[in-house]
């Protein structure tokens, strides 16, 4: 039997220690750089978001037609509040279903409010004229304050609020199809 050179380990013990130390330093640096700022953590701990079963936070916004709408003034009728934006493909896709529900239920005192997030009236009007025509009221949340009040993290997000002003269902993401939309409507319409 011929004996050859003994096999060497691919890394020496010193090389392993250096690799482990480099990994530890890089991992610590990654954790430090990717952590949330302290002011954000403090804000998130105090943030109250709208939740199912609780009273919907009140707001007043300007509508696309220039009027103002206050949510609490709509008590006594069920309300759908849909947070959306013109640049959001799922928002665009669910607009026809929202319009269909609006046309079907508006005579029965159901209110549908489309709350546009962060865009001005000219952008929304252009979208309405060129992309998707709809007739339900659109409110402008140009600073996204109402979206923040409701804890909106994804668009579209839709809240189904009963006649007493309590949130009965929340649909996050989309696009909602007719069945999903009617599921939410059935929870708020008597």
């Amino acid at each position: 039997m011929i004996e050859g050179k003994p096999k060497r380990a691919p890394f020496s013990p010193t090389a392993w220690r250096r690799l482990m130390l480099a990994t530890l330093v890089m991992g610590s640096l990654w954790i430090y750089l990717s952590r949330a700022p302290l002011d954000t953590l403090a804000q998130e701990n105090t943030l109250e978001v709208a939740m199912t079963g609780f009273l919907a936070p009140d707001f007043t916004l300007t509508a696309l037609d220039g009027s103002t709408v206050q949510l609490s003034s709509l008590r006594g009728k069920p309300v759908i509040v849909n947070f959306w934006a013109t640049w959001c493909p799922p928002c665009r896709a669910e607009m026809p279903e929202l319009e269909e529900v609006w046309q079907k239920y508006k005579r029965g005192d159901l209110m549908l409010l489309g709350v546009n997030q962060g865009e001005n009236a000219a952008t929304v009007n252009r979208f309405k004229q060129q992309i998707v025509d709809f007739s339900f009221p659109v409110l402008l949340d140009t600073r996204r304050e109402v979206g923040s009040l409701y804890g909106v993290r994804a668009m579209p997000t839709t809240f189904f609020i009963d006649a007493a002003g309590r949130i009965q269902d929340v649909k996050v993401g989309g696009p909602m199809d007719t069945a999903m939309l009617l599921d939410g409507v059935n929870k708020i319409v008597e």
Side-chain angles (χ1 to χ4, degrees):
M1 178 169 209
I2 302 175
E3 299 221 8
K5 294 183 184 177
K7 290 187 176 183
R8 283 186 44 188
F11 290 108
S12 68
T14 305
W16 277 112
R17 282 192 281 274
R18 286 181 183 158
L19 181 62
M20 288 175 37
L21 181 61
T23 303
L24 178 66
V25 169
M26 294 301 288
S28 298
L29 184 62
W30 173 260
I31 291 169
Y32 177 77
L33 293 175
S34 65
R35 76 189 197 302
L38 293 176
D39 60 338
T40 302
L41 292 174
Q43 179 184 10
E44 290 208 4
N45 287 337
T46 61
L47 184 65
E48 294 181 24
V49 295
M51 294 180 3
T52 303
F54 290 90
L55 201 59
D58 194 22
F59 62 83
T60 302
L61 288 173
T62 302
L64 200 54
D65 66 6
S67 64
T68 57
V69 175
Q70 183 175 12
L71 181 64
S72 61
S73 71
L74 300 173
R75 290 265 167 80
K77 52 174 79 172
V79 180
I80 300 171
V81 179
N82 175 260
F83 291 90
W84 69 284
T86 63
W87 50 262
C88 164
C91 300
R92 290 176 178 216
E94 72 183 17
M95 284 290 177
E97 279 79 10
L98 289 168
E99 180 64 22
E100 186 179 322
V101 166
W102 170 244
Q103 291 300 323
K104 182 177 180 179
Y105 288 97
K106 71 179 180 181
R107 289 170 196 82
D109 275 344
L110 174 77
M111 181 55 82
L112 170 59
L113 302 173
V115 181
N116 180 270
Q117 295 294 282
E119 298 175 299
N120 60 34
T123 301
V124 177
N125 273 321
R126 192 175 325 108
F127 170 80
K128 186 176 176 185
Q129 292 169 356
Q130 296 174 358
I131 311 295
V132 179
D133 191 23
F134 49 87
S135 62
F136 55 87
V138 172
L139 309 180
L140 301 172
D141 186 13
T142 55
R143 295 183 185 166
R144 299 179 183 168
E145 293 170 339
V146 176
S148 179
L149 179 66
Y150 275 72
V152 173
R153 301 259 193 273
M155 284 190 273
T157 296
T158 307
F159 291 82
F160 295 86
I161 303 167
D162 66 18
R166 296 202 175 280
I167 300 168
Q168 295 302 323
D169 196 9
V170 180
K171 308 278 189 205
V172 178
M176 280 189 295
D177 60 20
T178 304
M180 289 174 65
L181 197 50
L182 291 177
D183 175 60
V185 169
N186 288 336
K187 292 176 181 175
I188 61 173
V189 174
E190 297 174 4

